[in-house]
Amino acid sequence: MYSEKVMDHFNNPRNVGEMENPSGVGTVGNAKCGDIMRMYLDIDDQGVIQEAKFKTFGCGAAVATSSMATELVKGKTVQEAMTVTNRAVMEALDGLPPVKVHCSLLAEEAIHAALWDYSEKTGTQIEGLQKPVNDIGEKEEAPEEEY
Ligand code: FES
């Protein structure tokens, strides 16, 4: 049911953890299942993402997608990081079962929430970036409304 890559990133997630003084941090909740993902980004003066870390309180697919998402954004500029969509993350993982597709949205939204935080702090314009609707700030609870 899951690809080898999904199982690998689930069993050995990359870049798990927290970051002191991140350039951007964002937390999003999945309204469907209540799972939560927090993403930390360390961005240098050129706008290049040097480091990405995540904490996911959620299902295996959410762990695997956040792990892959952190791998994909590292080394990209903040603008290039906008190409790391949930589709791109799923492709990099060789797909997800249809019922788990919504889990990959959490990864995309977590990246956007962290980029949003960075853009607000630094006044950086990132084309196409919007504050994710499921951005829950520092709260530990997911929003209640349905998609
Ligand atoms: Fe909640 Fe996958 S079931 S993110």
Side-chain angles (χ1 to χ4, degrees), residues 30 33-35 58-62 100 102-104 106:
N30 187 316
C33 61
D35 290 347
C59 75
K100 288 290 175 185
H102 74 271
C103 313
S104 64
L106 210 51

Side-chain angles (χ1 to χ4, degrees), residues 50-124:
Q50 295 293 338
E51 191 80 59
K53 293 224 177 272
F54 80 93
K55 271 181 100 176
T56 291
F57 311 89
C59 75
V63 171
T65 50
S66 22
S67 168
M68 182 55 93
T70 53
E71 288 286 273
L72 291 175
V73 296
K74 275 199 283 182
K76 288 192 165 57
T77 66
V78 289
Q79 189 62 59
E80 286 165 353
M82 293 298 290
T83 63
V84 183
T85 59
N86 78 306
R87 224 163 259 285
V89 173
M90 276 197 300
E91 271 170 27
L93 286 169
D94 293 337
L96 278 176
V99 294
K100 288 290 175 185
V101 170
H102 74 271
C103 313
S104 64
L105 276 172
L106 210 51
E108 178 183 311
E109 291 189 338
I111 294 170
H112 288 185
L115 288 173
W116 182 267
D117 181 43
Y118 166 78
S119 80
E120 291 233 296
K121 279 186 195 158
T122 59
T124 308

Side-chain angles (χ1 to χ4, degrees), residues 15-44:
N15 314 307
V16 177
E18 298 179 26
M19 201 183 273
E20 299 237 339
N21 303 318
S23 315
V25 55
T27 309
V28 292
N30 187 316
K32 274 192 176 164
C33 61
D35 290 347
I36 294 172
M37 188 183 296
R38 183 167 297 152
M39 176 84 64
Y40 302 85
L41 298 176
D42 179 31
I43 299 163
D44 70 14

